[in-house]
Amino acid sequence: MSYTVPDVSSLPALSDPLETAKRLAAYRAIDENVDFKNDKVIGIGSGSTVVYAAERLGQYLKDLKYTECVSKFICIPTGFQSRALILDNGLKLGTVDNYPEIDVAFDGADEVDTNLQLIKGGGACLFQEKLVSTSAKKFIVIADHRKQSPHYLGTNWTKGIPIEVVPAAYVRVQNDLKKLGAHKIVLRQGTPAKAGPVVTDNNNFLIDADFGQLEDPKSLYFKILTLVGVVEVGLFIDNAERVYFGNSDGSVTHADRK
Ligand SMILES: O=C(CO)[C@H](O)[C@H](O)COP(=O)(O)O
């Protein structure tokens, strides 16, 4: 029997309502933002929400109405987990080197403010996420309702801004972050799974620096980025075009960049 992409409104709820919310947001984002006729290169981010975006593309691939175009899509990952998601869903893998222009990219976020500025990097993939999202003509974020900030970044996500640093410079960067006004600075640890610091897909370390609520995330972004040893900062500024939020009542809402 032939396969048809399931309608979002007819999906049975998952056992965890939060997972249901993430799935709804991701499916809606794919349905409304992939141009099946014209898109060629799709960015696939990292984290637990984007799993459902890759799953949705995999569903389109199985539906004979879409198989021909989806099988030609080149999907660009943002790290190891994301690469596996692409392959597990039968999609074609590419790299930014081969495909520097991405039509549309999908990724999760740790917090989204009212201007669609983002904190990302909670899953330690921020450099490649930034590479992919800023290489995309359209960057679409998918998140559950916990990620929607009432106003400023740093309200819901209080673990600090993730910052990817060259290992040789981590002490220097920590000292410099203190001078910039960070209240709490932590070198992210891999324990209990790994003794010692988290090592990113790019062989770097991660520092989480808490600056409290961010009234001006853009200027802080540039201040941190210019510190010697900083590879990338988990503040995604003027990057997201639209964010889909999966809500606890089963609805999905979206916000657009002004
Ligand atoms: O930035 C990220 C990884 O570095 C993720 O996109 C972010 O942490 C959101 O993850 P999830 O969808 O699991 O909440």
Side-chain angles (χ1 to χ4, degrees), residues 19 22 44-55 76-89 93 106-108 120 122-126 128-129 142 200-201:
E19 292 304 310
K22 291 181 193 178
I44 298 290
S46 337
S48 59
T49 313
V50 88
V51 168
Y52 298 111
E55 179 178 279
I76 313 295
T78 56
F80 186 89
Q81 176 230 0
S82 153
R83 186 177 181 278
L85 279 179
I86 292 167
L87 294 176
D88 290 350
N89 284 285
L93 192 67
F106 299 88
D107 205 347
K120 285 184 54 54
C125 301
L126 67 106
Q128 291 190 47
E129 290 182 337
I142 47 186
T200 70
D201 288 336

Side-chain angles (χ1 to χ4, degrees), residues 1-8 10-11 56 58-67:
M1 219 175 64
S2 66
Y3 176 87
T4 306
V5 175
D7 195 289
V8 174
S10 65
L11 292 169
R56 190 62 165 174
Q59 292 172 356
Y60 277 104
L61 179 66
K62 284 191 283 175
D63 185 326
L64 292 180
K65 283 203 296 294
Y66 298 92
T67 303

Side-chain angles (χ1 to χ4, degrees), residues 173-187:
V173 174
Q174 284 180 313
N175 290 339
D176 289 346
L177 287 167
K178 215 174 284 167
K179 288 181 204 147
L180 281 184
H183 315 306
K184 194 172 161 215
I185 300 159
V186 175
L187 179 66

Side-chain angles (χ1 to χ4, degrees), residues 71-173:
S71 63
K72 288 187 193 138
F73 283 169
I74 304 292
C75 295
I76 313 295
T78 56
F80 186 89
Q81 176 230 0
S82 153
R83 186 177 181 278
L85 279 179
I86 292 167
L87 294 176
D88 290 350
N89 284 285
L91 302 161
K92 240 185 230 152
L93 192 67
T95 63
V96 182
D97 320 17
N98 287 337
Y99 299 94
E101 281 184 25
I102 297 171
D103 292 303
V104 55
F106 299 88
D107 205 347
D110 297 307
E111 190 170 5
V112 180
D113 78 7
T114 45
N115 295 315
L116 301 203
Q117 314 293 30
L118 317 172
I119 292 181
K120 285 184 54 54
C125 301
L126 67 106
F127 168 71
Q128 291 190 47
E129 290 182 337
K130 182 77 63 92
L131 181 64
V132 168
S133 67
T134 56
S135 301
K137 287 182 213 149
K138 204 162 68 164
F139 176 41
I140 306 294
V141 173
I142 47 186
D144 61 77
H145 51 92
R146 298 170 308 168
K147 311 298 182 66
Q148 189 164 21
S149 181
H151 196 177
Y152 295 129
L153 292 178
T155 309
N156 298 356
W157 182 261
T158 54
K159 291 181 189 169
I161 302 168
I163 302 164
E164 185 159 348
V165 298
V166 172
Y170 87 92
V171 174
R172 157 82 184 267
V173 174

Side-chain angles (χ1 to χ4, degrees), residues 18-39:
L18 201 58
E19 292 304 310
T20 304
K22 291 181 193 178
R23 183 176 67 173
L24 282 172
Y27 279 21
R28 275 276 297 279
I30 293 287
D31 291 358
E32 293 179 9
N33 293 282
V34 175
D35 179 343
F36 288 93
K37 280 208 182 92
N38 298 310
D39 286 349

